[in-house]
Amino acid sequence: MAALNRGRAGGEVSPPNPWDPLVRFSHWFLAAAIVANALLNKEGGTWHIWIGWAAIAVLAIRIIWGVVGPYEARFSAFPPSLRAARRHVGALFWGRAQEYPSHNPAGALMVYALWGLMAVTLATGLVMTGAKGPMTIASEKAAVAAGDWSVLVKESDGHDGEHDDDDEIAEEIHEAASNLILFLALLHLGGVLIESKLLRRNLIRPMLWRRNT
Amino acid sequence: MTTPRPTARSRHQPALLAGFMLAQGVAAIFFIADAVDDLMAAPPGLHVLAEALVAAVLVVGIGVVGWQLRLTLEEMRRQEQALDTARGDFLRVVEEQFTTWDLTPAEKDVGLMALKGADVAEIAEARGAAQGTVRAQLTRIYAKAGVSGRAQFAAWFVEDLLD
């Protein structure tokens, strides 16, 4: 009875379709923030700093959601495991890929790597700006533009040689981590496309919106 | 042949909550950053206290919205499962009744599509059969079920639900 099987088969394991809205929104917000801050806006500019602060908030909420959210958004649903990830990629190319209730093991590793690198990038960004809020920085810039350079003097007074070294190290890490993020993001995109093709299932749409019925 | 779906309003509610939650988070982080700046720059005055209070309220608000979002998502999942169960139960009842009537597999398939509201042309197309064949199958189904036609055939399964 072909007609009977058209509905959802009961008890079948598959990732959520669609993902819960908080997962979706935070995913695309962080993706947009990475593209904007790594490729589009001026390094260290006002926009760069505003977006960085907003990304701190979104990443923090997503991580808290990983503890208190619904099942498939929780860390416990996609534990990091190198062995499982290798097994999954192998199975994928042998055409025997298994379905998982949340991120597959390879995707899970990517999630943790990206989150970790984002945290590093955001933290070093805070070190570089002295953890000053974007509003403080904006008003300082406005003061300098208006001819009041006292904020700059105060700043260079507060910096001894050691501090400058710290800033330099933070900057190096900031750049290395953000380049690594871009590289992993490309790898992530490639992985999603390849797996979509091999599983003959669109993995992108559940991250976008509910299927139309 | 559509299945009932939650209304547009309830479908969009989680998305609204999630969007609101993230917007609140972004707003809160700016207030927190500003409050920390001010706290480090000057002894805490009324202004800073007010800012810290706003930040705290925003953070509590995020928690409340997050809790609401989780409850809404869980409720939607429960409803979907209940709907699935009901659908499965109904299909089982139909299947058993078809077997009781001694329908052949082909007749069962046609009968189910007829129950779902497909007309002869649609059933013929879906099964790749001639319309005449489908019409003959429907006639045999009605005869085996002892009903006069499609309306009575459908009513046979609905009447138990409408006590």
Side-chain angles (χ1 to χ4, degrees), chain A residues 1 3-4 8 20-22 25 50 53-54 56-57 61 65 68-70 72 74 131-136 210 213, chain B residues 5 11 14-15 18-19 21-22 25-26 29-30 33-34 37 66 69-70 73 76-77 84 91 95 108-109 112 116:
Chain A
M1 299 189 83
L4 277 184
R8 296 193 329 159
D20 88 63
L22 197 108
F25 292 174
W50 276 97
W53 276 94
I56 292 176
I61 289 180
W65 199 239
V68 302
E72 68 271 354
R74 286 205 292 266
K132 271 185 232 153
M135 276 165 285
T136 315
R210 187 173 289 275
T213 44
Chain B
R5 293 276 155 203
R11 259 197 296 169
M21 206 173 146
L22 291 177
V26 171
I29 200 88
F30 288 122
D34 210 35
D37 266 358
L69 177 58
R70 182 168 170 184
L73 288 172
M76 282 175 75
R77 184 161 312 179
D84 269 0
L91 274 179
E95 174 94 21
K108 283 181 181 175
D109 207 7
L112 193 75
K116 284 183 171 181

Side-chain angles (χ1 to χ4, degrees), chain A residues 3-7, chain B residues 1-2 91 110-118 150:
Chain A
L4 277 184
N5 298 329
R6 242 193 313 231
Chain B
M1 294 217 263
T2 50
L91 274 179
V110 170
L112 193 75
M113 283 195 259
L115 272 186
K116 284 183 171 181
R150 158 159 329 197

Side-chain angles (χ1 to χ4, degrees), chain B residues 14-161:
Chain B
L16 276 176
L17 287 176
F20 193 59
M21 206 173 146
L22 291 177
Q24 262 182 315
V26 171
I29 200 88
F30 288 122
F31 260 106
I32 293 169
D34 210 35
V36 171
D37 266 358
D38 291 353
L39 272 176
M40 290 198 293
L46 208 58
H47 175 80
V48 179
L49 277 180
E51 251 180 18
L53 190 69
V54 171
V57 168
L58 273 170
V59 170
V60 172
I62 296 169
V64 171
V65 175
W67 183 242
Q68 191 62 43
L69 177 58
R70 182 168 170 184
L71 289 183
T72 308
L73 288 172
E74 276 171 359
E75 176 64 24
M76 282 175 75
R77 184 161 312 179
R78 255 198 308 279
Q79 283 175 358
E80 206 155 299
Q81 271 167 359
L83 195 60
D84 269 0
T85 311
R87 214 179 271 146
D89 284 348
F90 186 66
L91 274 179
R92 201 170 40 73
V93 169
V94 170
E95 174 94 21
E96 273 170 14
Q97 193 55 51
F98 281 4
T99 309
T100 316
W101 285 333
D102 262 342
L103 300 193
T104 66
E107 285 167 354
K108 283 181 181 175
D109 207 7
V110 170
L112 193 75
M113 283 195 259
L115 272 186
K116 284 183 171 181
D119 61 25
V120 172
E122 282 170 344
I123 298 175
E125 205 196 317
R127 293 181 47 78
Q131 294 198 11
T133 314
V134 173
R135 225 170 270 124
Q137 281 168 325
L138 281 173
T139 311
R140 263 200 310 280
I141 293 168
Y142 301 152
K144 284 180 179 175
V147 295
S148 62
R150 158 159 329 197
Q152 218 182 5
F153 177 61
W156 203 99
F157 292 98
V158 177
E159 92 190 324
D160 285 346
L161 298 176

